[in-house]
C-alpha cells in the first residue's frame, strides 16, 4: 500500500500532492463549458459563435485530457494488481478514454457543420459528460476512501497536532 502513495516520477507530483487531480480540472472545465455553449447554440437564432466556442472548448479539453491521462497512468502504475483499487482505477480509465473518444467523434461531426451545433454532437457530449461524472466519483473513491497518492496517516497527523 505504501507504494501506491509514492509517486512513480517527480512529474506525477511530490509525495502527498499528486498533479493528476489538478490536471483533470482542465478537461472537466472545458467540456462542461462546451455543454453550456451547446445549449446556448441550440437555442440561439444565430448559433455560429456558440458552435465555434464549443469546438474550441472541446479541443482544449482533449488536449488537457491527454496531459491528465499521462499523470493518471503514472499514478495507476503504483497500484498493485489484483486489488479493488486497481479494478476501480481500470474502470475510471475506461470511462475517461470513452469520454475522450466520444468528444473526439463529436468534434469531427462539428467540423463537418461549422454553422450550428449538430444535435448528434451535443448528444455525444452529453453521454461523455455523464460517463465523466461516474469516473469522477470513482476517482474520488480512489483518493478519499482508499488514499491512493494521499500521504499516510502519520504524515496527515502532523496537520492536527497542537503545539505544546
Amino acid at each position: 500500500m505504501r507504494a501506491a502513495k509514492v509517486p512513480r516520477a517527480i512529474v506525477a507530483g511530490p509525495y502527498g500532492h499528486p498533479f493528476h487531480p489538478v490536471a483533470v480540472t482542465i478537461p472537466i472545465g472545458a467540456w462542461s463549458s462546451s455543454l453550456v455553449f451547446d445549449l446556448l447554440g441550440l437555442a440561439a437564432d444565430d448559433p455560429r459563435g456558440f458552435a465555434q466556442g464549443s469546438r474550441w472548448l472541446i479541443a482544449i479539453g482533449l488536449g488537457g485530457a491527454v496531459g491528465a491521462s499521462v499523470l493518471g497512468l503514472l499514478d495507476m502504475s503504483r497500484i498493485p494488481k489484483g486489488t479493488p483499487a486497481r479494478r476501480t482505477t481500470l474502470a475510471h480509465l475506461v470511462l475517461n478514454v470513452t469520454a475522450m473518444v466520444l468528444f473526439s467523434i463529436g468534434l469531427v461531426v462539428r467540423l463537418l457543420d461549422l454553422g450550428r451545433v449538430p444535435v448528434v454532437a451535443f448528444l455525444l457530449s452529453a453521454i461523455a459528460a455523464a460517463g465523466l461524472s461516474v469516473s469522477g466519483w470513482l476517482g474520488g473513491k480512489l483518493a478519499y476512501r482508499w488514499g491512493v497518492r494521499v500521504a499516510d496517516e502519520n504524515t496527515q497527523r502532523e496537520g492536527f497536532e497542537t503545539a505544546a
Side-chain angles (χ1 to χ4, degrees):
M1 186 169 96
R2 172 87 174 133
K5 296 180 175 295
V6 178
R8 167 72 62 196
I10 193 62
V11 72
Y15 170 73
H17 196 84
F19 291 154
H20 174 71
V22 175
V24 300
T25 62
I26 295 167
I28 291 170
W31 289 337
S32 297
S33 298
S34 77
L35 286 169
V36 172
F37 273 59
D38 282 350
L39 291 171
L40 292 170
L42 289 169
D45 291 332
D46 183 5
R48 288 177 294 194
F50 296 115
Q52 182 180 22
S54 190
R55 287 191 305 272
W56 275 104
L57 287 163
I58 289 169
I60 290 166
L62 288 168
V66 170
S69 296
V70 169
L71 297 171
L73 288 170
L74 287 170
D75 289 349
M76 183 180 116
S77 71
R78 303 298 287 172
I79 300 171
K81 293 178 178 155
T83 62
R86 181 64 171 231
R87 287 189 295 278
T88 300
T89 302
L90 291 173
H92 178 71
L93 171 75
V94 167
L95 286 167
N96 289 334
V97 169
T98 301
M100 290 172 70
V101 169
L102 292 175
F103 276 113
S104 296
I105 293 169
L107 183 57
V108 170
V109 170
R110 292 164 192 275
L111 291 171
L112 296 173
D113 190 356
L114 299 176
R116 64 186 183 94
V117 176
V119 174
V120 170
F122 169 71
L123 292 174
L124 288 170
S125 292
I127 292 166
L132 283 175
S133 297
V134 175
S135 175
W137 182 82
L138 293 173
K141 182 177 184 179
L142 289 163
Y144 298 115
R145 183 169 181 183
W146 290 328
V148 172
R149 287 295 322 272
V150 174
D152 62 36
E153 288 182 7
N154 288 329
T155 303
Q156 292 175 18
R157 187 175 294 114
E158 295 170 5
F160 294 93
E161 293 175 349
T162 57

